[in-house]
Amino acid sequence: MRWNGQKVGEEDASALPGMERLEGLVRSVTTPEFAGMTFHEVAARSALNHVPGSSAMPFDWTINPYRGCSHACTYCFARGTHTYLDLDAGRDFDTQVVVKVNIAEVLERELARSSWGREHVALGTNTDPYQRAEGRYRLMPGVIDALAASGTPFSLLTKGTLLRRDLPVLQRAHERVPVSIAMSIALFDDDLQRSVEPGTPTAQARLDTVRAATDAGFRVTVFLMPVMPHLTDSIAALDDALRRIRAAGAIRVVYGALHLRPGVKPWFMAWLRREHPELVSSYLGLYPGASVSAPKAYRQWLARRVRPLLRAHGLDGRDEEEPVRARPVAPGARAAAAAASVRATGPAPQPARLF
């Protein structure tokens, strides 16, 4: 094991770019158990992040114990945030992970303030709280306990099967406050999953986690996102995914087409050119220039394809872009509510040539 100690507030000329000035940096750590990765431990000044009022997100507060993510998903929208540290949105995002080692203690202080309105807090909206680093640092039990003790409802979104470790903690929290659990599973083909999300557990391992959470008394949502044009949007692929999701005990699905935000598109397109060069021209047509989202026509076509399958498998569900009805969970609070059941719109037509 190699430890690189650094004093808070001082510069280290030998540190990685951006890390020599990282506020609150305590030390940088590498260890054989996490080969190729470096954990940058920081003393965070705050734990709760306020979501800008202009955001479409159905919650106002988030917590992110980590920055960067070992899941290494080629499409991850959060990649661009690593450039704020003068690190790149590609390999550095996957291997240079910032760890807020004191986040539970800071969170307890923030939640104890008289001004805190016990509003809904979302975890997993940026980088995954149950990525591999959590196995080493065990930050989440303290975060969960702090939220529950303060009477603050919260939701978790993860790709990590390490969630199963904390199911007893989450059950105790759920006795005190509303707790929502969602599992992100985009790829059900093992070879494609290993290529696109090389640091994630398999789809089956995540489905087993959905079953464990369901058996623990939670009503689990699965995020079938992103749906990738030409790779995971066939009727056969979608039908298989929804069948397996339902069999695992999930009650609801949120789906959506691939987004390629700034900082993400170059990394994803490099992967596409390497692994599926035959699809490059199609993707350049779907995501031209600075375009982030697939065309509206494709998203509508995808909805017409998914909705009948949701009904066939007895799943509630919605497109990620459909509005959700916020409902208060405490005075003055705003939280995401379950969407109304989606009505099927009949058989999907053949896609336009663009797709």
Side-chain angles (χ1 to χ4, degrees):
M1 181 179 295
R2 179 168 62 86
W3 301 83
N4 295 328
Q6 298 182 31
K7 295 181 180 179
V8 175
E10 293 192 359
E11 284 198 8
D12 182 352
S14 65
L16 284 168
M19 291 300 174
E20 73 279 8
R21 297 181 303 279
L22 184 63
E23 184 176 355
L25 181 62
V26 176
R27 61 188 174 187
S28 297
V29 181
T30 60
T31 173
E33 299 133 285
F34 298 90
M37 295 187 63
T38 301
F39 299 129
H40 303 282
E41 301 175 356
V42 302
R45 291 188 177 183
S46 63
L48 289 165
N49 310 302
H50 189 256
V51 177
S54 59
S55 173
M57 293 296 146
F59 44 77
D60 291 323
W61 299 93
T62 66
I63 298 173
N64 296 298
Y66 304 97
R67 293 182 66 173
C69 186
S70 58
H71 288 335
C73 303
T74 58
Y75 56 75
C76 181
F77 75 90
R79 286 185 173 277
T81 63
H82 241 43
T83 61
Y84 305 155
L85 301 174
D86 293 332
L87 296 172
D88 69 55
R91 182 68 177 165
D92 286 348
F93 181 84
D94 302 339
T95 61
Q96 306 294 324
V97 177
V98 178
V99 184
K100 302 174 185 178
V101 292
N102 64 334
I103 194 165
E105 294 81 3
V106 174
L107 179 61
E108 286 181 4
R109 293 197 297 269
E110 292 178 338
L111 296 174
R113 294 171 182 166
S114 59
S115 59
W116 175 242
R118 296 176 178 82
E119 300 180 52
H120 179 95
V121 173
L123 295 102
T125 60
N126 196 345
T127 55
D128 200 313
Y130 283 107
Q131 60 178 285
R132 290 181 62 205
E134 175 61 16
R136 174 189 179 92
Y137 288 99
R138 300 183 64 88
L139 301 181
M140 285 300 294
V143 169
I144 293 167
D145 285 342
L147 290 166
S150 70
T152 300
F154 63 95
S155 58
L156 278 167
L157 171 61
T158 183
K159 292 182 172 76
T161 56
L162 191 57
L163 172 74
R164 296 176 73 166
R165 180 201 68 191
D166 288 348
L167 283 175
V169 183
L170 289 162
Q171 285 177 303
R172 292 193 296 271
H174 198 31
E175 293 172 359
R176 308 178 71 173
V177 297
V179 177
S180 300
I181 293 177
M183 179 64 68
S184 175
I185 316 176
L187 303 162
F188 289 77
D189 177 281
D190 290 344
D191 290 337
L192 184 60
Q193 177 258 325
R194 284 190 291 267
S195 179
V196 179
E197 306 173 344
T200 61
T202 64
Q204 188 57 54
R206 282 179 264 177
L207 290 168
D208 291 343
T209 304
V210 170
R211 170 52 64 189
T214 298
D215 291 345
F218 293 96
R219 294 170 59 81
V220 181
T221 295
V222 169
F223 277 62
L224 184 60
M225 295 169 54
V227 176
M228 301 173 66
H230 302 295
L231 290 170
T232 64
D233 62 354
S234 70
I235 290 177
L238 294 168
D239 184 57
D240 177 64
L242 294 172
R243 176 186 58 80
R244 295 174 66 182
I245 288 168
R246 186 69 180 94
I251 53 93
R252 184 168 174 265
V253 169
V254 178
Y255 66 92
L258 177 71
H259 291 259
L260 292 175
R261 297 190 181 183
V264 180
K265 185 178 289 188
W267 186 251
F268 178 84
M269 291 303 295
W271 171 85
L272 193 69
R273 290 187 181 95
R274 184 174 66 251
E275 301 295 332
H276 290 280
E278 75 282 3
L279 296 181
V280 170
S281 60
S282 295
Y283 271 75
L284 290 176
L286 286 166
Y287 302 90
S291 298
V292 170
S293 301
K296 184 177 181 180
Y298 175 85
R299 302 196 305 271
Q300 291 174 333
W301 170 82
L302 180 63
R304 290 193 297 270
R305 176 161 284 199
V306 172
R307 288 173 178 175
L309 294 173
L310 286 169
R311 183 176 62 180
H313 290 286
L315 286 161
D316 185 17
R318 68 172 180 87
D319 187 294
E320 63 165 331
E321 296 183 352
E322 292 178 28
V324 294
R325 298 172 301 174
R327 55 180 171 84
V329 295
R334 181 164 67 92
S341 297
V342 177
R343 294 186 178 90
T345 57
Q350 292 296 315
R353 183 175 298 175
L354 175 63
F355 311 142

